[in-house]
Amino acid sequence: MTATPNVFAQRIAAAQNAMAALGLEACLVPSSDPHLSEYLPARWQGRQWLSGFTGSMATLAITRNRAALFADSRYWTQAESELAGSGIELVKIDSGAATHHVQWLAQAVQPGQSVGVDGAVLGLAAAAQLREALNQVGASLRTDVDLLATIWPDRADLPQAPVYEHDAAYVSAPRSAKLAQVRAAMLQAGASHHFISTVDDIAWLFNLRGSDVSFNPIFLAHALIDGTGATLFVSQGKVPAELAARLQADSVQLQDYAQAGAALAALPANAVLLLDPRRVTLGLRESAPPSVKVVEAVNPSVLLKSRKNAHEAAHVRKAMEQDGAAMCAFYAWFEKALGTERITELTIDERLTAERAKRPGFMGLSFNTIAGFNANGAMPHYRATPESHAVIEGNGLLLIDSGGQYPGGTTDITRVWPIGAPSDAQKRDYTLVLKGTIGLSCARFPLGTLSPMLDALARAPLWAHGMDYGHGTGHGVGYFLAVHEGPQSISKAIPDANMAMQPGMITSIEPGLYRSGKWGVRIENLVLNVSAPTHEPFGEFLEFETLTLCPIDTRCIDRTLLRTDEIDWLNTYHATVRARLSPLLEGAALAWLVQRTEPI
């Protein structure tokens, strides 16, 4: 009996045949769309379709006789499993921002050969880096190649979900005021026009939302802004007539999604165009006439939307209360059912989502729930499937990373719970991670501190024991938008001026520790930048207000590793959690909350 050929090996072979027909030696397939989004519409999930790797971030490179997937430490175990039998090699990289694929491609080609990529999904900055590397070896980059168009027979069309307005009760400012802020930044930059492709920027700027992409309340669109008006490029039929009229009243015109490139091409010769090189694709950039002067700078909306005002912060706090209440109701059921019912990682996803769905305003999950028991918890972006999941039984640690979308905020929380009797080694790991969460949560720092500078505060307790983790410590979080947003990043990233911490930013704090094949620990809260006491003449300082409201399990703690001030922080946090959530709970859920927030 012959073995069934691996479907992904067949697809790679089809890609290689198409490359040969196009005269390409190699091809790059990024995890990207025309908006450089993190979560992709089905139409642009070509990397997954070709390779079989289902993680949210990776890059696929293909030559005539090889294929390689570049993935960071969050996905190594998952990728090794999903790539098995495909012939695709896994290249382990340090972080999602690493560019090892650029050097790999440059080494794989000879002078005079070409590498192809779809310029419509390749970022401007990434294109410049790849082109430079290829030029150095005498090779060229072709950006007019959509390889998937020739080999993907059932490729999805553009999503057609309707666009709707963000409920006015939750909106911090009318779109006219937000557009005025952007125009002020354009004026300062000397720009007559500004083009935006990032869908979360567009949703925030126009106070609109949609459901074109899983977990993100956004819609696919581009926007072109000038000194008096704006054009929103969105597929026909997606914007209801009543909404279109309200947009028109704010001098916002609608054009078809496909016309964005043509609108750039029609810019006047003396236009000055503001573009964000990290947030626009090469294909759209090259649509602008050569005579148009381009000013490269971060989209003004990136910083503006990252700074939640008092109105937004108040709604986020309410969303955290509802989300925390859902968590308590779930965990009350879980602890009662454990040992009497068959519970799997899939059960956890279903029941936790169901509890969130009971809460007022719940709009959906903010990402796929991660429920990882023991060895599965050691994969930071693990996802249980019907074909592969664990039953919750015996002894060990259960990691649950989940979040919800509400009109007043986006949540993201990770907790770890003991199943049976945790070992001393598990308690040590858990406590060291908790120390990192507490250490960073207590930080005070000068206004404008570059966010990567704070990363070591969360890692220090682990570093002291010769341990570390591969992912970042904290990411920005949107306001009923993307669960990952910039510009701030508490990580090992090389800092730039746009990463300065400002009041109103919401960021995760989520140190972790992972023992492959054994267990994983991650404890995550979201925090808000607020003003801290200041002593002259040292200027303004910031500190964190912890937003997330859910007990942190104390049964896994090794008390000998905690200082008195750390215990005080935990007890104070639990007192706050109890006070804020008790009015929203009753019965078993309230009893569970009281039990799990007892001081230690």
Side-chain angles (χ1 to χ4, degrees):
M1 180 177 177
T2 58
T4 302
N6 183 285
V7 65
F8 302 108
Q10 293 176 324
R11 290 174 181 175
I12 293 295
Q16 290 167 330
N17 290 335
M19 287 161 46
L22 292 166
L24 298 173
E25 179 62 26
C27 192
L28 179 68
V29 185
S31 298
S32 183
D33 67 2
H35 310 274
L36 304 180
S37 306
E38 177 182 6
Y39 293 98
L40 306 179
R43 178 171 180 79
W44 287 287
Q45 291 183 6
R47 183 267 300 157
Q48 178 175 328
W49 181 83
L50 270 169
S51 69
F53 172 65
T54 60
S56 61
M57 291 180 67
T59 300
L60 178 65
I62 307 171
T63 70
R64 297 281 187 93
N65 53 22
R66 294 175 66 192
L69 184 89
F70 299 78
D72 66 60
S73 62
R74 296 171 294 173
Y75 303 105
W76 290 347
T77 303
Q78 175 185 351
E80 286 171 348
S81 173
E82 292 180 340
L83 296 178
S86 68
I88 303 170
E89 61 186 277
L90 171 63
V91 180
K92 297 180 178 181
I93 60 177
D94 302 328
S95 71
T99 56
H100 295 64
H101 63 277
V102 173
Q103 290 75 35
W104 190 91
L105 283 167
Q107 293 170 2
V109 294
Q110 301 297 320
Q113 293 180 334
S114 297
V115 175
V117 65
D118 181 4
V121 302
L122 185 65
L124 190 57
Q129 185 180 47
L130 179 56
R131 182 168 279 145
E132 180 183 0
L134 294 176
N135 286 343
Q136 289 179 358
V137 297
S140 61
L141 179 66
R142 280 184 55 187
T143 59
D144 60 341
V145 179
D146 183 1
L147 196 67
L148 296 168
T150 64
I151 63 173
W152 194 352
D154 301 315
R155 191 175 185 182
D157 293 326
L158 289 171
Q160 293 300 317
V163 175
Y164 60 93
E165 272 193 294
H166 192 188
D167 191 324
Y170 299 97
V171 170
S172 62
R175 62 180 146 259
S176 58
K178 293 180 176 180
L179 284 164
Q181 288 180 293
V182 170
R183 289 192 179 102
M186 290 166 54
L187 184 63
Q188 188 173 12
S192 61
H193 295 76
H194 175 38
F195 186 77
I196 312 174
S197 282
T198 35
V199 290
D200 55 337
D201 284 316
I202 291 170
W204 175 86
L205 182 58
F206 293 93
N207 287 338
L208 301 175
R209 297 295 188 269
S211 53
D212 282 355
V213 178
S214 299
F215 313 118
N216 292 265
I218 56 82
F219 57 99
L220 299 188
H222 303 282
L224 182 62
I225 303 167
D226 61 27
T228 58
T231 303
L232 197 59
F233 302 92
V234 59
S235 293
Q236 294 180 1
K238 289 175 66 69
V239 180
E242 305 82 15
L243 177 52
R246 291 194 293 273
L247 289 166
Q248 174 76 36
D250 288 328
S251 301
V252 179
Q253 312 294 326
L254 295 179
Q255 285 194 28
D256 186 64
Y257 178 81
Q259 295 303 308
L264 285 172
L267 286 174
N270 62 349
V272 179
L273 180 63
L274 174 62
L275 286 179
D276 187 335
R278 295 186 179 181
R279 294 173 175 86
V280 72
T281 64
L282 177 71
L284 285 165
R285 164 63 183 89
E286 292 185 337
S287 296
S291 60
V292 169
K293 179 182 177 182
V294 172
V295 176
E296 293 190 354
V298 65
N299 287 338
S301 49
V302 169
L303 181 58
L304 290 170
K305 74 176 167 51
S306 74
R307 299 185 62 171
K308 284 66 177 175
N309 62 20
H311 177 82
E312 292 169 321
H315 283 297
V316 170
R317 294 185 187 101
K318 294 295 184 183
M320 293 291 175
E321 290 173 354
Q322 295 297 338
D323 204 62
M327 301 284 289
C328 291
F330 163 76
Y331 286 121
W333 164 83
F334 174 77
E335 291 193 7
K336 183 178 179 180
L338 192 63
T340 63
E341 300 181 30
R342 186 178 187 271
I343 302 175
T344 72
E345 294 165 339
L346 294 175
T347 314
I348 291 168
D349 188 356
E350 294 164 2
R351 292 297 297 247
L352 182 51
T353 301
E355 289 298 342
R356 279 196 167 99
K358 297 175 184 177
R359 307 312 302 184
F362 177 71
M363 301 293 289
L365 300 181
S366 55
F367 57 94
N368 269 321
T369 298
I370 299 168
F373 182 49
N374 280 345
N376 292 338
M379 294 181 277
H381 277 222
Y382 168 76
R383 168 78 169 152
T385 66
E387 297 77 26
S388 178
H389 60 269
V391 177
I392 314 303
E393 59 187 2
N395 299 314
L397 297 179
L398 171 64
L399 184 153
I400 304 177
D401 187 350
S402 65
Q405 292 282 10
Y406 303 83
T410 300
T411 72
D412 183 2
I413 173 176
T414 308
R415 293 292 185 264
V416 173
W417 305 96
I419 305 301
S423 67
D424 290 342
Q426 289 169 336
K427 288 184 175 182
R428 176 203 59 215
D429 288 357
Y430 180 93
T431 308
L432 292 176
V433 171
L434 176 59
K435 286 170 70 71
T437 302
I438 295 173
L440 183 50
S441 299
C442 293
R444 285 182 177 174
F445 45 92
L447 173 70
T449 296
L450 300 181
S451 52
M453 294 175 64
L454 303 175
D455 185 64
L457 297 177
R459 297 181 190 269
L462 293 165
W463 286 352
H465 288 74
M467 305 172 186
D468 199 7
Y469 50 95
H471 56 74
T473 297
H475 55 82
V477 178
Y479 179 67
F480 186 38
L481 276 174
V483 74
H484 296 150
E485 75 168 27
Q488 75 275 28
S489 171
I490 302 176
S491 66
K492 295 180 180 179
I494 298 174
D496 65 51
N498 296 313
M499 295 179 177
M501 293 295 257
Q502 299 292 332
M505 287 179 166
I506 294 176
T507 313
S508 69
I509 294 178
E510 48 182 313
L513 186 61
Y514 309 96
R515 298 194 180 276
S516 182
K518 297 180 179 179
W519 63 78
V521 178
R522 187 166 64 255
I523 301 173
E524 176 187 19
N525 287 333
L526 301 188
V527 295
L528 175 70
N529 288 2
V530 297
S531 293
T534 300
H535 300 281
E536 294 293 344
F538 301 105
E540 185 176 348
F541 272 64
L542 299 175
E543 61 186 359
F544 293 127
E545 173 193 338
T546 298
L547 295 169
T548 303
L549 298 169
C550 182
I552 295 171
D553 194 87
T554 58
R555 295 166 293 177
C556 286
I557 291 175
D558 180 345
R559 286 283 301 273
T560 65
L561 294 174
L562 286 185
R563 303 188 308 266
T564 301
D565 62 302
E566 293 169 327
I567 293 173
D568 290 343
W569 181 94
L570 185 60
N571 288 338
T572 300
Y573 173 70
H574 278 156
T576 300
V577 170
R578 182 187 292 191
R580 296 268 299 278
L581 298 187
S582 290
L584 301 177
L585 298 171
E586 59 185 11
L590 178 58
W592 181 88
L593 170 68
V594 171
Q595 181 184 15
R596 292 287 166 246
T597 54
E598 283 294 308
I600 62 171

